[in-house]
Amino acid sequence: MTVNKRTATDPAPLLPAGSGRQGDPGTTPDTNRLTAPQIRQMLQRQWGDVLLQRLEVIGGIAAHLGTPAYLVGGCVRDLLQNRPAPDLDLAIEGDVRALAESPPLQQLHVQCQLHPRFGTATLRYPDGFRLDFARCRVEHYPAPATLPEVRPGDIHSDLARRDFTINAMAVGLDPTTFGNLLDPHGGRADLRQGLLRVLHSCSFLDDPTRILRGLRFAVRFQFRLEKGTRALLREALAQDIFAQLSGARLWRELQYLLELADLPVALERLGAWRLWPLLRPEPTDMESLLARIRRGHQEIDWFHRHCPDEKLFDAAVWLTILWRDIPWAEAEKRLHYWPVAGGHHILRDLRLLPDMPGALTRAGRPSAVGRLWERLSLPGLLALCAEYPETDIMVESGHQHLRRQRWLSSPLNGKELQALGLAPGPRLGEVLERLRNARLDGEIEDKETARQWLIGQGILPSIQP
Ligand code: ATP
Ligand code: MG
């Protein structure tokens, strides 16, 4: 389906909550206005004196250079919500380099990493504290769901390119007005009402990743879509907008979603927002899927507790759990399009999983059980365990395999077997494998019992030279 080519420069504006966006963009349309000294106090209370002073220094340098600087985006939202801000972003009206490399910052031993292609820089203070700078910009989307063309702009155009009103506020750092809140789109009012509102009617068409960003904010802050924005979501879906998004961009957003601690809530929202087809066909038994997801979290926690030095690609566990009950081709179709690391392992596991429980039950000897578990990747094994209650024998067997059995090897290595008279070659490999199985089955423990076992099996002569 084709999508009308509309751009961020000529969208129909949405009226924000509050008094609208026609007034002086430097003032908030909120009647309950926060003054600059109040914001300064909030910065000090929430982020501390050291950070406040750093921002004041930057504001001073920026004023001196004639390139105004602003705190912007998520960190302003978090400040107003009294939540810790994970990362601080600064927007600069002017040359980022001149500010980031200015002598006062060098005197403070602040290290600067420039990314000239993107007009951004990262500052690192000696204590490890980090600040990200970006030049204010205007964005223009040449076609829906593509990357935008950008050119330098001022703070107002920079706020106008953002995803939601709650993320489109800035705090000025100029020494004369330090703490001045810029809220031209009514973000603060939306924040108070728990609303996610896009800034213009083409927002989701320009960049459908905003839909999934919105879903994450909805889950994280328990916010909901404002009515007009909900209608725009439906319109974007009716235009099949995600079909135009690259697999890499879609997968990145989905991965963030899968990483949410509140994944069950996120999946419920995914359904409410009619977004299931992105991830899989809509589940018929949501309860059982959510139960597996909850157990999946327990399995991942178990793994990190018991195998702290090993890496686990959590997203592969989630995809395996989510795709366990859908046709294999549905998973394959998505993995063909998304660049998922180790995607072929997920597809192989999905083929193996239906037969695993029966095979494991029939296996009998520990070595046969171990061989079966070894057919699955680590995420596949954890996904299978997540289908059973924590105390189930299947889970115990999987955990036993991960904690102990997979590490057991033959007590005698190839060199030692050759020293005992076995010739090198494929048969040696078979003997090593049999020794490992014997160890798994508890028939041997160490080198001596292994040697006796080899004699008993007729592999070594009973009288050694
Ligand atoms: P988080 O706390 O998860 O980091 P955030 O809002 O800071 O949330 P970032 O991805 O760090 O999110 O982006 C910083 C800011 O950049 C956002 O607050 C928003 O203003 C803007 N932004 C990020 N991605 C987009 C996008 N796809 N479209 C428009 N604006 C965006
Ligand atoms: Mg951020």
Side-chain angles (χ1 to χ4, degrees):
M1 182 171 297
T2 52
V3 176
N4 295 336
K5 183 172 164 289
R6 294 188 288 183
T7 67
T9 47
D10 62 346
L14 287 181
L15 267 188
S19 65
R21 47 189 263 166
Q22 310 303 338
D24 172 6
T27 61
T28 143
D30 200 331
T31 45
N32 193 2
R33 188 165 183 237
L34 276 171
T35 62
Q38 283 172 319
I39 296 271
R40 189 180 180 284
Q41 218 174 36
M42 288 166 78
L43 280 170
Q44 184 175 29
R45 209 179 42 237
Q46 293 182 43
W47 296 355
D49 286 328
V50 173
L51 183 45
L52 177 66
Q53 201 205 344
R54 284 174 180 170
L55 294 175
E56 284 174 337
V57 167
I58 286 172
I61 304 169
H64 178 72
L65 292 170
T67 56
Y70 303 86
L71 273 172
V72 73
C75 62
V76 176
R77 172 201 70 214
D78 293 339
L79 177 79
L80 296 181
Q81 282 189 298
N82 202 1
R83 288 174 189 267
D87 40 42
L88 301 193
D89 293 313
L90 294 183
I92 315 293
E93 282 180 346
D95 188 11
V96 167
R97 179 183 204 129
L99 178 53
E101 290 186 341
S102 63
L105 287 177
Q106 286 178 358
Q107 275 157 26
L108 292 169
H109 305 290
V110 176
Q111 288 191 350
C112 159
Q113 200 178 355
L114 285 169
H115 314 281
R117 237 185 92 209
F118 303 103
T120 60
T122 302
L123 292 191
R124 276 200 181 72
Y125 286 73
D127 60 2
F129 174 74
R130 194 185 121 148
L131 273 179
D132 287 315
F133 283 51
R135 183 170 190 147
C136 290
R137 62 182 197 251
V138 184
E139 286 184 348
H140 167 80
Y141 287 81
T146 55
L147 290 173
E149 293 165 3
V150 302
R151 60 186 161 81
D154 62 12
I155 186 66
H156 298 292
S157 51
D158 195 78
L159 293 179
R161 72 174 173 84
R162 289 173 186 265
D163 49 1
F164 298 100
T165 60
I166 59 165
N167 291 339
M169 293 181 273
V171 169
L173 303 183
D174 188 280
T176 53
T177 52
F178 187 94
N180 185 32
L181 179 68
L182 304 190
D183 181 17
H185 304 282
R188 203 172 150 237
D190 284 340
L191 207 50
R192 277 209 301 266
Q193 294 185 68
L195 290 179
L196 293 165
R197 184 193 307 263
V198 289
L199 271 55
H200 58 83
S201 58
C202 302
S203 186
F204 290 150
L205 299 179
D206 283 343
D207 180 357
T209 67
R210 291 172 184 161
I211 297 172
L212 291 169
R213 287 177 57 83
L215 192 83
R216 286 210 312 275
F217 295 126
V219 173
R220 241 166 86 190
F221 305 137
Q222 287 149 32
F223 280 15
R224 60 187 199 286
L225 286 178
E226 171 275 334
K227 207 163 143 241
T229 300
R230 207 161 53 231
L232 292 172
L233 166 64
R234 278 198 298 271
E235 193 186 306
L237 294 183
Q239 299 201 29
D240 204 10
I241 190 64
F242 280 105
Q244 322 214 11
L245 186 65
S246 77
R249 291 181 68 201
L250 175 58
W251 168 236
R252 199 180 56 192
E253 292 300 325
L254 289 173
Q255 210 176 327
Y256 289 143
L257 198 75
L258 295 175
E259 282 166 8
L260 291 177
D262 262 344
L263 184 55
V265 180
L267 294 178
E268 272 163 342
R269 288 285 174 118
L270 197 79
W273 290 21
R274 308 239 181 288
L275 295 174
W276 267 120
L278 291 181
L279 202 50
R280 53 162 285 166
E282 183 157 1
T284 46
D285 186 352
M286 189 65 183
E287 266 317 300
S288 107
L289 178 61
L290 292 182
R292 281 184 279 145
I293 297 281
R294 280 188 282 271
R295 280 283 299 118
H297 273 122
Q298 290 175 337
E299 285 303 307
I300 291 175
D301 287 349
W302 180 92
F303 181 77
H304 288 309
R305 259 198 329 277
H306 290 90
C307 310
D309 300 329
E310 274 185 83
K311 281 208 164 63
L312 172 68
F313 184 37
D314 293 12
V317 181
W318 298 126
L319 289 180
T320 312
I321 290 177
L322 280 161
W323 288 347
R324 174 76 164 87
D325 61 328
I326 64 171
W328 188 83
E330 288 281 348
E332 204 265 347
K333 185 171 79 185
R334 287 170 177 80
L335 283 179
H336 185 71
Y337 175 58
W338 308 343
V340 179
H344 58 287
H345 291 302
I346 299 178
L347 290 176
R348 200 194 50 206
D349 288 347
L350 288 170
R351 283 239 194 263
L352 293 170
L353 280 170
D355 294 331
M356 282 294 288
L360 283 163
T361 312
R362 287 190 302 272
R365 294 171 81 81
S367 57
V369 171
R371 272 198 303 277
L372 283 168
W373 282 125
E374 274 160 21
R375 294 169 72 193
L376 291 179
S377 71
L378 175 57
L381 183 155
L382 294 173
L384 181 58
C385 288
E387 290 178 21
Y388 295 87
E390 220 176 342
T391 49
D392 195 278
I393 189 161
M394 191 70 76
V395 178
E396 199 184 311
S397 166
H399 288 185
Q400 176 79 351
H401 176 74
L402 289 178
R403 287 178 70 170
R404 192 176 125 78
Q405 289 168 332
R406 69 187 160 137
W407 303 116
L408 288 183
S409 57
S410 160
L412 294 166
N413 63 28
K415 270 209 175 100
E416 289 166 327
L417 286 179
Q418 284 181 52
L420 287 170
L422 286 179
R427 195 168 124 68
L428 193 73
E430 277 166 35
V431 172
L432 281 168
E433 180 66 24
R434 287 185 61 191
L435 279 168
R436 176 168 187 248
N437 288 342
R439 188 163 184 206
L440 280 167
D441 294 336
E443 294 168 10
I444 59 175
E445 260 181 28
D446 50 19
K447 293 186 196 302
E448 182 48 32
T449 48
R451 209 176 57 80
Q452 294 300 336
W453 186 87
L454 288 169
I455 295 169
Q457 297 291 313
I459 296 170
L460 288 180
S462 53
I463 299 168
Q464 291 279 299

